[in-house]
Amino acid sequence: METNERKRIIVGVDGSDSSIAALRYAARLADALDAPLEAVTTWYYSSLSGARLVMEWTPERDATDTLAAAVDQAFGDDPPAGLIRTVAGGPPARTLIEMSRTCEMLVLGNRGHGGFVGLLLGSVSAACVLHAHAPVLVVHPRELPDEA
């Protein structure tokens, strides 16, 4: 494995405000540590979806659009140099935990789009905190200073 790959900081992005804050924070960390930054959005196809829905909807394309919109929202026209954008198939927690085997740090927002509002951690961030193979930083947007 390449040393630079091991040094990278991975940030999970689902388009939520929390993940946008995590993306901005991870970019600052990557810059300070001179580490590559990889923004990851996952997609997962559920067999519960109807055939008609599948024909009209592509989860990978939806995830690609979500990632692009999140990067745009976080950085506008000035994304970090060398930003790696990854769209990975698989359940979010399991995919990020597996990816954490080869990174310096995993950065996540405290809450995504799903689940119960008001909980301290979402299911993905909680699972990653418990099972990741690298340090995990959970970003709480309300605790961050205002950013341009």
Side-chain angles (χ1 to χ4, degrees):
M1 168 185 326
E2 194 175 298
T3 305
N4 204 29
E5 180 181 328
R6 165 75 69 192
K7 188 179 176 185
R8 80 194 191 287
I9 294 174
I10 294 176
V11 57
V13 178
D14 68 359
S16 65
D17 290 343
S18 181
S19 75
I20 301 299
L23 182 54
R24 288 180 181 136
Y25 199 88
R28 293 192 343 233
L29 281 175
D31 185 50
L33 298 173
D34 193 30
L37 177 62
E38 182 173 3
V40 177
T41 299
T42 66
W43 63 272
Y44 182 66
Y45 171 74
S46 171
S47 60
L48 300 176
S49 301
R52 179 183 166 124
L53 176 63
V54 173
M55 290 174 58
E56 297 173 7
W57 175 71
T58 305
E60 186 174 9
R61 184 176 9 173
D62 189 45
T64 300
D65 292 346
T66 296
L67 182 56
V71 168
D72 186 55
Q73 185 177 347
F75 306 114
D77 292 333
D78 193 26
L83 175 66
I84 302 162
R85 301 172 195 221
T86 300
V87 174
R94 184 171 47 192
T95 302
L96 291 168
I97 290 166
E98 185 58 33
M99 291 181 82
S100 76
R101 290 181 184 275
T102 61
C103 73
E104 186 74 21
M105 178 180 281
L106 177 61
V107 180
L108 303 166
N110 67 315
R111 298 285 311 141
H113 280 300
F116 299 96
V117 175
L119 291 177
L120 181 61
L121 290 178
S123 60
V124 172
S125 54
C128 288
V129 165
L130 290 172
H131 301 291
H133 304 280
V136 178
L137 173 65
V138 178
V139 176
H140 296 260
R142 65 184 176 278
E143 295 176 7
L144 293 177
D146 290 337
E147 300 187 76

